[in-house]
Amino acid sequence: MKRFQSILLAPLLLLLASGSALLAFSYEDPADYPLMGDWQGEWVNAKKGHEKAHPAIAAQLLPVNGGTHYRVVILPELYNRAEPYLIAEVPATDQRVAVDEGGYEVVFSGTEVRGRAKLHGDSTEFVLRKVALDSPTVGLQPPAGATVLFDGSDYSSWMHGEAKPVTWDIVGSAMQTVTKHNQANRAQGLGGDLQSREKFGSMRLHLEFRYPVEAGKSGQGRSNSGLFLGAIGEVQILNSYTTPNYWNECGAFYKRIPAKVDAAGPPLEWQAYDVDIDLQVNGKAVVTVQLNGRILHHQMEMPCGAKELSIGLQDHINILQFRNIWLVEK
């Protein structure tokens, strides 16, 4: 009887072991989402409106609803406060996204598409081409004299609260959150926010991050994290690609000041925050924040009585990756 039980238990244990391995989080393969991201092009022979002189048109595509649909935003210009021509969520696959709404007809497939729309009452064609995210400071190396907080090798510059050792993963050359909101992780004491072991004065800070696709999630549940600037507060990290960028979305001083432009890039792309901080003697800090080379906050005065700041990274409800973190004190 015991031998029979062991024969039954063996495959069950194997299944459980493989099941736990399957539960381990890994980022999606960008090759599986060839249409996701930025598209840029022009109207063909526009006859009216500002498009006659400036015929630019763009689009952003993002898988939603578990990947059964794509959100398609067609707009005059990428990463600006431009009123969209169209926002639609359409049934789609990762190889074909067909739009036939609001007077717009276009099928996204491959790397270049041709569509048609009613532009100021006239039937007008447009062309769009797939483009990579333009983030000019991604990969920027620390200058001489910089303090390197993470170079891809270890967590010697970081700690959890109360000086506890870091329990996040290192995947390739990136740090990866181990969310404490997972009950199993919490039971093992894994996860939690990170804080730099040192504090710093006025500085120029560089940090790179990327988030997964998570097509089954939305809103604040999609790639939620944050960059904490000590007493100044949190600059939000969130997959708010294709959304209006409210005061709780990517680039905002969380629930205080929205970003001036929506610069959040598509999932799986490395993105870069560049932050300039001047700590003043009057209990304020002057802060400039750029995301992917675009200014979100320019010389913004923020309350801050501290003379030095720690740098923090939030381990919230999602798995994010960070790399190439360094700063130069002034």
Side-chain angles (χ1 to χ4, degrees):
M1 183 67 177
K2 289 182 179 178
R3 182 174 180 273
F4 180 68
Q5 286 177 329
S6 66
I7 291 172
L8 288 177
L9 284 172
L12 177 60
L13 292 172
L14 181 62
L15 178 63
L16 289 173
S18 63
S20 63
L22 289 173
L23 290 174
F25 186 88
S26 61
Y27 271 45
E28 301 92 345
D29 185 347
D32 292 335
Y33 298 90
L35 305 181
M36 179 179 69
D38 294 342
W39 295 71
Q40 198 160 305
E42 58 276 335
W43 292 97
V44 179
N45 297 323
K47 300 294 193 298
K48 297 178 183 176
H50 82 274
E51 292 88 352
K52 182 178 179 181
H54 303 284
I57 185 174
Q60 295 180 322
L61 274 64
L62 181 73
V64 294
N65 297 336
T68 62
H69 291 64
Y70 264 67
R71 181 181 299 127
V72 179
V73 181
I74 300 178
L75 64 168
E77 186 177 335
L78 293 170
Y79 305 110
N80 206 341
R81 288 292 190 206
E83 182 178 356
Y85 292 117
L86 177 75
I87 301 176
E89 291 191 5
V90 297
T93 70
D94 294 318
Q95 303 295 329
R96 187 177 187 275
V97 178
V99 178
D100 187 2
E101 291 191 22
Y104 281 77
E105 298 178 23
V106 58
V107 177
F108 291 91
S109 180
T111 58
E112 182 172 326
V113 299
R114 196 175 188 95
R116 181 177 293 275
K118 287 285 187 180
L119 181 64
H120 307 297
D122 293 341
S123 182
T124 309
E125 292 188 336
F126 58 87
V127 177
L128 289 165
R129 304 168 194 87
K130 185 73 163 57
V131 295
L133 175 68
D134 178 18
S135 187
T137 65
V138 164
L140 184 66
Q141 293 304 297
T147 299
V148 177
L149 295 179
F150 185 73
D151 64 1
S153 60
D154 62 59
Y155 285 112
S156 57
S157 298
W158 299 90
M159 62 182 179
H160 290 304
E162 300 176 355
K164 294 180 180 178
V166 174
T167 58
W168 288 17
D169 293 327
I170 293 181
V171 178
S173 59
M175 57 168 70
Q176 181 169 292
T177 60
V178 180
T179 173
K180 199 171 184 178
H181 285 258
N182 179 292
Q183 187 174 355
N185 289 343
R186 190 162 57 247
Q188 298 179 66
L190 302 176
D193 296 349
L194 293 194
Q195 179 180 322
S196 61
R197 290 186 175 274
E198 295 183 50
K199 293 186 176 182
F200 307 94
S202 297
M203 72 183 86
R204 179 165 61 92
L205 170 69
H206 177 86
L207 172 146
E208 297 175 17
F209 68 92
R210 72 171 186 147
Y211 36 66
V213 177
E214 297 181 308
K217 299 181 180 180
S218 62
Q220 293 291 302
R222 195 166 192 175
S223 302
N224 192 325
S225 183
L227 167 61
F228 292 104
L229 305 174
I232 296 173
E234 176 190 2
V235 180
Q236 175 73 315
I237 296 174
L238 188 79
N239 179 3
S240 52
Y241 185 66
T242 73
T243 69
N245 200 280
Y246 296 121
W247 70 332
N248 61 350
E249 295 191 318
C250 196
F253 277 102
Y254 184 67
K255 289 193 174 180
R256 295 164 70 188
I257 308 168
K260 295 185 184 299
V261 296
D262 187 356
L268 306 180
E269 298 265 15
W270 282 104
Q271 306 182 55
Y273 267 130
D274 291 281
V275 183
D276 190 280
I277 301 172
D278 282 315
L279 298 175
Q280 308 287 302
V281 295
N282 58 359
K284 294 182 179 180
V286 177
V287 185
T288 295
V289 180
Q290 296 184 60
L291 174 57
N292 299 324
R294 297 166 177 88
I295 296 177
L296 310 184
H297 307 279
H298 181 60
Q299 296 185 352
M300 184 76 66
E301 280 198 351
M302 306 289 291
C304 177
K307 295 181 180 179
E308 292 184 314
L309 305 173
S310 60
I311 305 301
L313 297 174
Q314 187 180 37
D315 181 14
H316 200 27
I317 56 176
N318 306 98
I319 306 298
L320 277 88
Q321 293 180 345
F322 301 88
R323 72 177 189 187
N324 194 20
I325 307 172
W326 50 266
L327 61 86
V328 176
E329 287 192 273
K330 299 183 179 180

